[in-house]
Amino acid sequence: MQLLKIVTVLYINIYITVVVALTVMILVAGPTVLNPLQRSIAQQQQQPQQQPQQQQQTAYDAGKPIKDLSFEIDNVTFSHHTASVNGIQMHYVIGGQREPVVLLHGWPETWYEWRHVMPALAKNYTVIAPDLRGLGDSSKPLTGYDGNTTAEDIYQLLCYLGLDQKVYLVGHDVGGLTAYSYAASHPNNVSKLVILDIPPLPPSGFEDSVWWFRFHQTPDVPEMLTAGKEREYLSWFYRHAYNPAAITPADIDEFVSKYSAPGGMRAGFEYYRAFPTTVEQNKDHANVKLQMPVLALGGEYSHGTAALESMKSLATDVRGGIVPFSGHWIAEERPDFLIDELERFFSE
């Protein structure tokens, strides 16, 4: 009995000793073990959320990722952006100040077509140069390449930018088709319209006058034959100019990098496949002539006066003519001439 008491007291003393030891260990070690986590949580709660770093303004380099939002051309700052419009993500470049000028590029180019024109215009205007649906860094949907749909893309973009009122609108090639559709669909939103080297309502036989129209309209075959040879194929068009040196190898790299991306060539061909639909839409638009002033220019060694003659049947106030010493790539072959024409036309 005496032994049982001794053992019981011994166990009680051991238990108390262990409890005390553990308590001391927790009190002493606790701050070392627990405080880093507590300190981290506290720091996260107290630290203000970091703001995105401001992008550096660097010169635009062909093929440069969009992640560098701001860049310069001839010491004028522009920036890349995207907007959700009409079911797609549309990439656009913007810069300058005051009244808006919207520049719509052609095929097989991107917003970069306007690189020589943008800095001069940005001194007096806010320049917006989107990548059309399917081209450049914009989304590449399977459908929607007719003039009315691409015009709706631009309308929603300008609404997004708060510029759904009066704009100066310039379109080249397939961008000219979009520009005309926009002006016809939203005549009160366009101060002045410029169409470059494309007849929105083409004369009979126009589609057969150049071999690539029918080729591009053929389903699937152009994609199959140009896959892996995008640079070789597209270079033929860039060099088929009055002044082939106007589009340099670096410029070709920039364009090809976009068209060789998945879906890029197919999207470009879709504009040709949608061309008959666009023409029928334009015939409907022609029932009401445009009232805003229109400037229609064509390359001397390209479509000449085709744009001017076409627009005379579509608008009441039309002027224009031929761009001398230029092929189809007016903004690159004769940027000096085009800048003068645009500034004179806009300021009238």
Side-chain angles (χ1 to χ4, degrees), residues 23-44:
T23 301
V24 172
M25 288 176 63
I26 291 173
L27 292 174
V28 174
T32 304
V33 176
L34 298 178
N35 280 354
L37 178 59
Q38 295 172 340
R39 190 180 308 116
S40 176
I41 294 173
Q43 288 175 345
Q44 291 178 13

Side-chain angles (χ1 to χ4, degrees), residues 170-231:
V170 183
H172 171 234
D173 190 71
V174 297
L177 300 178
T178 298
Y180 170 71
S181 295
Y182 182 97
S185 300
H186 306 283
N188 295 327
N189 295 14
V190 179
S191 295
K192 295 183 179 181
L193 174 66
V194 181
I195 301 294
L196 301 178
D197 215 50
I198 187 73
L201 205 57
S204 177
F206 181 80
E207 292 182 66
D208 295 320
S209 64
V210 286
W211 61 266
W212 57 86
F213 256 84
R214 295 303 184 190
F215 175 61
H216 292 174
Q217 288 174 345
T218 305
D220 302 324
V221 174
E223 292 92 324
M224 177 179 63
L225 295 180
T226 59
K229 295 184 178 296
E230 293 87 355
R231 184 183 179 86

Side-chain angles (χ1 to χ4, degrees), residues 54-71:
Q54 186 175 2
Q55 301 293 335
Q56 293 183 347
Q57 297 177 358
T58 57
Y60 183 82
D61 184 18
K64 191 173 186 179
I66 293 181
K67 65 181 181 181
D68 293 330
L69 295 179
S70 297
F71 62 96

Side-chain angles (χ1 to χ4, degrees), residues 257-336:
S257 71
K258 305 305 180 184
Y259 280 86
S260 60
M265 293 296 283
R266 181 200 59 78
F269 298 142
E270 287 297 326
Y271 279 94
Y272 288 85
R273 292 165 186 155
F275 187 74
T277 300
T278 299
V279 171
E280 290 303 313
Q281 293 169 350
N282 290 350
K283 289 179 181 179
D284 292 336
H285 291 315
N287 292 325
V288 179
K289 285 194 173 185
L290 300 181
Q291 300 300 308
M292 78 285 295
V294 176
L295 174 67
L297 301 171
E300 180 181 7
Y301 297 93
S302 183
H303 295 309
T305 60
L308 177 61
E309 296 305 319
S310 179
M311 290 309 303
K312 284 180 179 178
S313 66
L314 299 172
T316 60
D317 182 3
V318 183
R319 79 287 312 268
I322 289 176
V323 180
F325 308 110
S326 179
H328 182 60
W329 317 111
I330 295 171
E332 290 149 309
E333 295 184 66
R334 291 300 311 274
D336 54 341

Side-chain angles (χ1 to χ4, degrees), residues 36 85 110 150 256 268 310 313 328:
V85 298
T110 65
T150 56
V256 171
S310 179
S313 66
H328 182 60

Side-chain angles (χ1 to χ4, degrees), residues 60 62-63 105-106 108-115 136 230-231 234 238 247-261 265 329 332:
Y60 183 82
H105 66 84
E109 299 190 290
T110 65
W111 73 267
Y112 186 70
E113 167 185 342
W114 306 106
R115 62 197 176 279
E230 293 87 355
R231 184 183 179 86
L234 297 181
Y238 304 133
I247 302 179
T248 68
D251 298 331
I252 294 176
D253 287 342
E254 164 64 14
F255 292 132
V256 171
S257 71
K258 305 305 180 184
Y259 280 86
S260 60
M265 293 296 283
W329 317 111
E332 290 149 309

